[in-house]
Amino acid sequence: MNTPYWYTRTFWTLALGLFLNAYVFGVSAVALTWIPDSRPLAIWLLIWSPLWLSVGVVLGGWWPDSAGRRQVLRWGPFGYALGALLLWYSDRVWAALAGSGFLMVTAGIDSNVILTYSRELLPPATRRAAMFFEINFVNLGGLALAAAAFWGAPSGIAGERHLVAFIPALLVGVSLILRWGLPESILWKYEPVGPNRPGWRAVFSIRFFVAVCFAFANTTGFSLLSYAYGAEFLPRYFRMIFLVSTATAFMVGLWARLWARIPPRLLLLGGYGLATAAAYVLYRVVSPTTWRFWLALFFLSAMTSITYLAEDTFKTGGWPSRMRARLTSAVRVTALVGDIGVLLATHRTRPEYFLRVMIIVWAVGWMAALLWWRQARAPEP
């Protein structure tokens, strides 16, 4: 009898990697609360994570396609260890930024390899359910950071910083031991290379275009909701908004096997459509002192989780294994550049304008899902 994937060592190795990726992504946003009168620095701290994540994602595209998935994954824990040490001993802003930047480069490499490796490792029959369940550890990583920031705040800036740095430092040793026994991807190792393979021509395909739109909508929508909105306009509620949004995303992700039964096109179309509607409701109810605000936040966070599970699985599919990491990297970097552009454009704007932009961002994902829905109803790879 075959052991379910989520009972295997490989699953927990890759899930732990995704947990660490998400955890470190929010560190620079949390660092806003460590700096008195941080508003002048807010935009630079908010774009710090996507900027250095982009660098890591570029490396995470080229390196594993050249050297193999397993070889790259083995080096990840060392990068997390160095970044955590820099963060732990940082008593100045530049040192904290250096630590979080190093963490983000590592997370960018790591996350790209894990997504491509998972796609190649799993049999088609159980791939979507297993990847959805695995990707939900991204939500758990964000929740762990939100909890560390929320409950570490009473202990002061130094205590909160040490608690935030402690979790990745603690998990590095476990991750290193688990990763050393991973097998190499058979698809990457033995896929034939020939003139008929699509290669870089895939970047001109409809699939690549909609994958970029999906990734842009999710990355930017999440950044605007969980980090930028609270940090820019509601600093008093930042930790609570972050905690509610990540907790909701994780709880919804626990139903991964249910979402995996829904056809991908329908899940993407419905998820992005409902996320756009929830963003509009949030725009209409701006005040965090009303229960309608928190209900809208809950619903938008739920849709963010569902669409994230679907689009993170979608963007690794349809590419030849020998170029899968590079093409996945190209999708993600293009989306991250868009995320940085939106964060810069919405800096120092009024809350109403900011929330209108958030509606447009989610609408981009919905229109891309509508375009993909109209394509031939072929089975998803």
Side-chain angles (χ1 to χ4, degrees):
M1 183 175 179
N2 293 330
T3 303
Y5 177 60
W6 31 85
Y7 292 165
T8 65
R9 172 179 175 172
T10 302
F11 168 81
W12 289 103
T13 304
L14 301 181
L16 178 58
L18 291 175
F19 173 93
L20 285 168
N21 300 161
Y23 184 92
V24 302
F25 184 79
V27 167
S28 59
V30 172
L32 278 167
T33 63
W34 302 342
I35 304 168
D37 191 22
S38 61
R39 187 166 172 79
L41 294 173
I43 185 60
W44 307 112
L45 289 173
L46 289 172
I47 68 171
W48 191 255
S49 286
L51 178 65
W52 289 105
L53 183 69
S54 300
V55 174
V57 170
V58 170
L59 294 173
W62 166 79
W63 191 6
D65 275 349
S66 303
R69 296 13 176 168
R70 179 179 62 179
Q71 297 302 324
V72 179
L73 284 171
R74 286 179 174 180
W75 288 100
F78 296 104
Y80 287 125
L82 180 56
L85 285 172
L86 286 170
L87 194 63
W88 181 278
Y89 291 107
S90 62
D91 54 357
R92 298 177 184 272
V93 175
W94 67 265
L97 289 176
S100 64
F102 210 93
L103 286 170
M104 286 318 306
V105 172
T106 305
I109 297 171
D110 222 32
S111 59
N112 212 64
V113 184
I114 290 172
L115 289 173
T116 54
Y117 183 72
S118 298
R119 161 73 63 171
E120 295 167 357
L121 197 68
L122 296 166
T126 58
R127 180 182 293 149
R128 291 186 70 241
M131 285 193 73
F132 278 21
F133 193 33
E134 185 176 284
I135 291 168
N136 193 41
F137 277 77
V138 171
N139 294 326
L140 181 60
L143 175 59
L145 176 62
F150 187 80
W151 279 290
S155 60
I157 292 174
E160 183 181 354
R161 191 180 69 241
H162 289 162
L163 181 59
V164 166
F166 175 72
I167 293 177
L170 176 67
L171 295 176
V172 158
V174 177
S175 184
L176 181 63
I177 294 169
L178 289 173
R179 291 182 186 207
W180 215 254
L182 289 175
E184 185 54 270
S185 165
I186 299 299
L187 287 179
W188 172 82
K189 195 172 183 178
Y190 295 110
E191 183 184 60
V193 178
N196 295 324
R197 303 302 295 173
W200 286 109
R201 287 176 294 170
V203 301
F204 301 107
S205 66
I206 293 294
R207 185 184 184 93
F208 185 87
F209 174 74
V210 297
V212 168
C213 292
F214 293 154
F216 165 75
N218 258 96
T219 303
T220 309
F222 179 76
S223 294
L224 292 175
L225 176 68
S226 298
Y227 302 131
Y229 187 54
E232 289 268 5
F233 306 110
L234 302 169
R236 178 182 169 190
Y237 294 94
F238 169 72
R239 291 183 179 88
M240 180 57 72
I241 290 172
F242 189 22
L243 185 63
V244 170
S245 63
T246 52
T248 302
F250 175 67
M251 288 188 294
V252 170
L254 291 175
W255 295 83
R257 296 181 73 176
L258 173 63
W259 311 131
R261 294 194 184 109
I262 301 173
R265 285 180 176 83
L266 180 59
L267 189 64
L268 289 163
L269 184 65
Y272 283 109
L274 291 172
T276 306
Y280 177 76
V281 172
L282 194 65
Y283 163 71
R284 300 296 297 178
V285 189
V286 177
S287 175
T289 58
T290 66
W291 63 268
R292 294 181 185 86
F293 173 89
W294 296 101
L295 182 61
L297 177 69
F298 173 85
F299 193 74
L300 181 53
S301 300
M303 293 303 103
T304 301
S305 178
I306 291 172
T307 52
Y308 180 68
L309 297 177
E311 70 90 6
D312 231 25
T313 306
F314 180 89
K315 67 191 173 195
T316 59
W319 320 130
S321 294
R322 280 281 173 176
M323 295 192 68
R324 191 184 309 279
R326 279 172 287 180
L327 287 166
T328 302
S329 168
V331 170
R332 298 182 67 202
V333 169
T334 307
L336 285 165
V337 169
D339 178 31
I340 292 171
V342 170
L343 288 172
L344 288 170
T346 55
H347 179 53
R348 292 188 179 276
T349 60
R350 296 192 307 274
E352 295 81 7
Y353 175 79
F354 182 94
L355 291 172
R356 286 175 197 158
V357 172
M358 188 189 296
I359 296 169
I360 294 170
V361 165
W362 284 110
V364 168
W366 179 72
M367 287 186 287
L370 188 61
L371 174 62
W372 188 245
W373 176 271
R374 294 173 64 87
Q375 298 302 302
R377 304 286 181 87
E380 295 288 352

